[in-house]
Amino acid sequence: MRIALIYPAFGVVSVVNQPNIKAVADNYGIYPNISLAYVAGALQKAGHELIFLDGMASGYSLNDMAERVIKFRPDIMMFTVTTYLFHETARVIGYFREKWPAKVIVGGQHVTLFPKETLLKKVIDIGIVGEAEKSIIEVLGKIEKKKSLKTVKGICYRENKKIVLTEPREKIKDLDSIPFPARNLLPMSKYYSFISKYRNYTILMSSRGCTFQCTFCEQRSGDIRYRSAKNVADEMEECYYRYKVREIDVFDPLFTINKKRVIEICMEIQKRKIRIAWSCRSRVDTIDEEMLIEMKKAGCYRIYFGIESGDEQILRNIKKFTKKQQIRKAIYLTKKHRILAFGYFMFGNPGETRQSIRNTINLAKSLPLDYAQFNRLSTLPGTTMYEELKSEMGYDYWREYVKDRGVEHPLPRLRCGMSDKELNRWIKKAYMEFYFRPSFVLRTLSRVQSLPELERYVKAGISMIKN
């Protein structure tokens, strides 16, 4: 079958219930849609004919993309759907449906959370519930043979004007069996993050799931599944030689959760002499010096730490349960081995006060961090924090929002009386205090390796001052 995978450019659409202030959202970077690329990889392996349109990376307007769709004449159009941008995405899908009458299939965590509500939009024909790589192949097989979809696990669809939700599909146990993302369809030279230093740049997932129970995080799954060290290194090697990638961002929720596996991956990279810069995400309590030594030797040059708060009561409130001593130790060890350290922080947590925010800013400034990001807490669907808030409110805001954009309003925060406006002021204050220290500015400029990198920093700084 002929399938168009479409990833339109939205830009910064709305700030309601989103975590970033505008200056951050505007300068975040251009990332590949790796989940859609994984689906494309599975479709390629199955022999389907594909086109992948990335509006943000390629700079295509909706009209540009529609012209390419019409020329390609697909049987199926596929989109990723998120809860934040559900109504914007539905509008865009409707635009493409007007231009070309193909069936529409959507996927993403949003569909897993709100399958039937998603299908209320008549422009959507089928939703993939859960992981898509196997479901989509079965769905297309049924469509090709004009057979019923009722035996396909993990989907929702419309039949005789009724929305049908099939039985759940089990998670894929052998992640090594999943084809690599179809990067041959992507404009690889266009991707970057705000702080990436090398091109080409891409994202890699070496595991799925997280066993920690942070109340604010939608990634917690109670289990974790790993790819083998060999399989991860195989993909890195393909990225390096086939796609000229020189920087990889390992997007696992928690890459450092299994020390033995991390060291195995690092040893495999070293054995193959893959000269690629990479970064990853970590908690401060899942990393040690032995791991850092091997990561550095294997090319790791930046670690993103979920620090969240500088107040230990707040950390207990969100079930992070880390200590400031652990935070300091992890960051200092990281810097000792000449790896850049990035700290994520959130304001608006349960029990948050102006003093706890001040404690967080002071902690961030006291650490030898190379980067810091400050966000408003956003109560995401699928988190235990949202379940508690839902119980407190007496209704499911996100479910109602998916059904009707008209109910959109700023969500209250658990045990935190500060408004978005006040939190935004604190966030801007945190950024200004952290990044505009003269010593920090000089240190940052000394590390700049290219003119585009310098331009990104200057643009972000001006945006922060203006907004």
Side-chain angles (χ1 to χ4, degrees):
M1 299 185 78
R2 298 170 68 83
I3 302 161
L5 300 104
I6 302 170
Y7 184 39
F10 290 108
V12 182
V13 177
S14 170
V15 296
V16 177
N17 296 315
Q18 292 195 54
N20 288 320
I21 61 172
K22 186 176 185 301
V24 176
D26 282 344
N27 296 283
Y28 211 59
I30 298 177
Y31 296 83
N33 185 328
I34 209 69
S35 59
L36 202 57
Y38 261 117
V39 171
L43 294 171
Q44 269 190 337
K45 186 177 180 181
H48 295 283
E49 190 175 349
L50 311 179
I51 184 174
F52 195 114
L53 299 173
D54 186 333
M56 183 68 78
S58 300
Y60 294 151
S61 67
L62 285 181
N63 186 62
D64 293 335
M65 296 171 81
E67 287 179 358
R68 285 165 171 79
V69 167
I70 293 167
K71 185 176 180 180
F72 183 66
R73 303 174 64 85
D75 304 298
I76 303 288
M77 295 186 290
M78 296 191 66
F79 299 80
T80 299
V81 180
T82 65
T83 304
Y84 285 138
L85 294 175
F86 175 69
H87 295 284
E88 286 80 6
T89 306
R91 178 183 57 78
V92 168
I93 291 171
Y95 174 85
F96 281 97
R97 286 291 292 261
E98 288 176 3
K99 300 292 184 179
W100 186 255
K103 278 188 178 296
V104 169
I105 301 176
V106 300
Q109 178 66 8
H110 164 87
V111 185
T112 302
L113 293 170
F114 306 114
K116 290 189 174 181
E117 292 77 12
T118 299
L119 266 289
L120 290 174
K121 293 289 187 182
K122 297 295 196 300
V123 293
I124 298 171
D125 298 298
I126 301 168
I128 304 296
V129 180
E131 294 173 325
E133 290 91 351
K134 290 187 177 180
S135 300
I136 189 61
I137 303 304
E138 291 184 26
V139 166
L140 296 180
K142 297 291 185 184
I143 292 174
E144 279 188 296
K145 295 175 182 176
K146 295 183 170 56
K147 291 188 175 182
S148 171
L149 298 174
K150 64 182 180 182
T151 60
V152 180
K153 293 180 180 180
I155 65 168
C156 55
Y157 65 98
R158 201 176 292 103
E159 186 174 71
N160 298 324
K161 297 184 179 181
K162 291 185 178 180
I163 297 171
V164 178
L165 178 63
T166 66
E167 66 177 285
R169 179 177 290 273
E170 55 281 356
K171 294 176 181 177
I172 299 170
K173 293 179 180 177
D174 180 12
L175 297 188
D176 285 6
S177 68
I178 301 173
F180 296 156
R183 293 184 175 89
N184 59 303
L185 302 176
L186 307 182
M188 292 296 294
S189 65
K190 303 294 186 180
Y191 298 114
Y192 66 92
S193 80
F194 169 59
I195 54 175
S196 58
K197 293 183 178 293
Y198 308 103
R199 299 276 184 105
N200 292 342
Y201 164 92
T202 195
I203 289 170
L204 182 148
M205 300 290 295
S206 83
S207 67
R208 294 183 180 182
C210 180
T211 56
F212 283 88
Q213 297 299 311
C214 304
T215 62
F216 61 88
C217 184
E218 79 283 13
Q219 299 279 3
R220 58 174 186 83
S221 59
D223 68 341
I224 187 164
R225 291 161 292 146
Y226 300 114
R227 294 168 57 189
S228 67
K230 177 185 179 302
N231 188 254
V232 173
D234 285 346
E235 184 176 349
M236 283 188 158
E237 217 164 36
E238 179 184 82
C239 286
Y240 187 89
Y241 290 107
R242 183 176 179 185
Y243 301 115
K244 311 303 179 189
V245 169
R246 296 299 178 263
E247 181 167 350
I248 288 176
D249 199 342
V250 180
F251 247 57
D252 300 20
L254 184 50
F255 178 69
T256 59
I257 192 170
N258 185 319
K259 177 178 176 178
K260 179 175 179 290
R261 175 178 175 270
V262 169
I263 291 175
E264 285 175 356
I265 291 173
C266 291
M267 297 297 286
E268 190 70 23
I269 294 169
Q270 293 173 58
K271 184 177 79 174
R272 301 190 193 194
K273 296 182 172 60
I274 306 172
R275 307 300 183 195
I276 204 162
W278 56 275
S279 56
C280 67
R281 281 139 189 79
S282 178
R283 287 174 59 105
V284 297
D285 56 354
T286 60
I287 200 159
D288 64 19
E289 190 155 22
E290 183 184 1
M291 203 186 302
L292 286 165
I293 290 168
E294 294 304 324
M295 289 169 69
K296 177 65 178 180
K297 288 194 290 188
C300 178
Y301 87 108
R302 184 190 302 115
I303 300 175
Y304 296 83
F305 288 99
I307 298 172
E308 319 309 351
S309 178
D311 188 291
E312 291 187 0
Q313 181 58 55
I314 298 296
L315 292 170
R316 288 191 291 273
N317 291 351
I318 60 177
K319 295 189 177 179
K320 191 80 179 186
F321 297 124
T322 46
K323 306 286 187 182
K324 284 196 281 188
Q325 182 182 358
Q326 292 172 307
I327 295 168
R328 293 187 186 282
K329 181 179 178 182
I331 303 304
Y332 279 101
L333 279 176
T334 300
K335 296 303 298 174
K336 175 184 174 181
H337 294 285
R338 303 190 309 282
I339 297 175
L340 300 175
F342 186 116
Y344 285 114
F345 300 91
M346 294 190 307
F347 297 159
N349 297 292
E352 194 85 86
T353 64
R354 293 170 184 84
Q355 185 57 54
S356 65
I357 290 178
R358 171 46 62 192
N359 293 344
T360 299
I361 295 172
N362 289 345
L363 175 68
K365 289 163 60 179
S366 73
L367 297 170
L369 291 168
D370 298 284
Y371 314 92
Q373 183 170 320
F374 302 92
N375 292 332
R376 292 188 308 267
L377 172 71
S378 186
T379 312
L380 302 170
T383 64
T384 55
M385 187 177 290
Y386 180 63
E387 291 304 308
E388 185 179 348
L389 180 62
K390 188 169 66 174
S391 176
E392 189 174 281
M393 292 190 301
Y395 76 104
D396 190 337
Y397 167 82
W398 285 116
R399 192 175 301 277
E400 296 306 312
Y401 168 77
V402 173
K403 291 193 288 187
D404 179 11
R405 177 68 180 269
V407 306
E408 183 179 41
H409 64 81
L411 275 172
R413 292 182 172 82
L414 287 169
R415 301 184 296 283
C416 175
M418 285 183 268
S419 66
D420 280 1
K421 187 175 181 180
E422 181 176 3
L423 290 171
N424 286 347
R425 286 199 300 269
W426 276 107
I427 288 170
K428 183 171 181 179
K429 185 176 182 62
Y431 275 118
M432 296 295 285
E433 287 190 26
F434 183 88
Y435 280 106
F436 287 86
R437 293 172 288 168
S439 60
F440 186 89
V441 171
L442 290 172
R443 181 156 56 94
T444 300
L445 291 175
S446 72
R447 292 199 311 263
V448 171
Q449 296 187 353
S450 67
L451 183 59
E453 183 184 359
L454 177 61
E455 289 172 347
R456 292 201 302 269
Y457 289 163
V458 171
K459 179 184 174 185
I462 292 171
S463 178
M464 184 64 62
I465 293 168
K466 289 172 62 177
N467 293 305

